[in-house]
Amino acid sequence: DIENFLTEKFEEFENNNDTKHVPIFIEYNPGITPIPMRMKKYLPKYSAYIVALRVTPANNCFKREDMLELPQKVWDHTMMSATNLLGLAILDEDYEMIKGYDIVVDPATQFGFQKDGYGT
């Protein structure tokens, strides 16, 4: 269940020396569009769509009442995060990602808005 999953991921985070990077990411707010015909010649044969996603451990859609047993420190850590990454992927006609044509980037660090990585 979601409580066990989030608690397990938080415990991994606490036991890790890397205290700046959260070990769970959830994809939100996908924007999807067909790939223009003129661009398909540059992409794999079955490319049909491009998708952009917000990738973050925060602001997920789990209802609090569904996670009553979740320890408060786990709730605070996974629900309140400044981490906001950008996910991009090429999809086929069945909306499946094409292997090797997906990426997650950290725009805030890349553009110098935040200095510690992953929006922290």
Side-chain angles (χ1 to χ4, degrees):
D1 73 3
I2 192 61
E3 290 173 335
N4 290 336
F5 176 77
L6 291 175
T7 300
E8 179 183 306
K9 289 298 179 184
F10 179 77
E11 288 170 356
E12 287 176 19
F13 172 78
E14 277 194 321
N15 293 327
N16 189 338
N17 290 331
D18 181 3
T19 59
K20 295 185 178 182
H21 299 106
V22 182
I24 176 177
F25 291 108
I26 301 170
E27 300 161 344
Y28 292 94
N29 308 43
I32 187 168
T33 189
I35 295 173
M37 290 301 291
R38 68 182 181 279
M39 297 304 296
K40 288 191 176 195
K41 65 183 174 184
Y42 302 106
L43 299 169
K45 182 178 180 180
Y46 299 107
S47 300
Y49 305 98
I50 187 162
V51 66
L53 316 144
R54 176 178 172 225
V55 181
T56 179
N59 305 314
N60 61 53
C61 299
F62 307 119
K63 295 187 297 186
R64 180 66 171 159
E65 51 270 17
D66 290 343
M67 296 191 296
L68 293 176
E69 301 300 317
L70 192 66
Q72 188 64 43
K73 67 181 183 176
V74 178
W75 173 267
D76 292 344
H77 187 79
T78 58
M79 303 304 160
M80 304 298 176
S81 173
T83 301
N84 282 292
L85 308 176
L86 171 65
L88 299 169
I90 304 276
L91 309 179
D92 64 17
E93 288 286 341
D94 296 322
Y95 304 100
E96 297 290 330
M97 282 196 292
I98 296 177
K99 187 175 180 167
Y101 287 85
D102 60 296
I103 189 168
V104 175
V105 294
D106 181 359
T109 301
Q110 293 293 321
F111 294 123
F113 300 134
Q114 295 174 341
K115 304 204 181 336
D116 296 329
Y118 288 178
T120 58

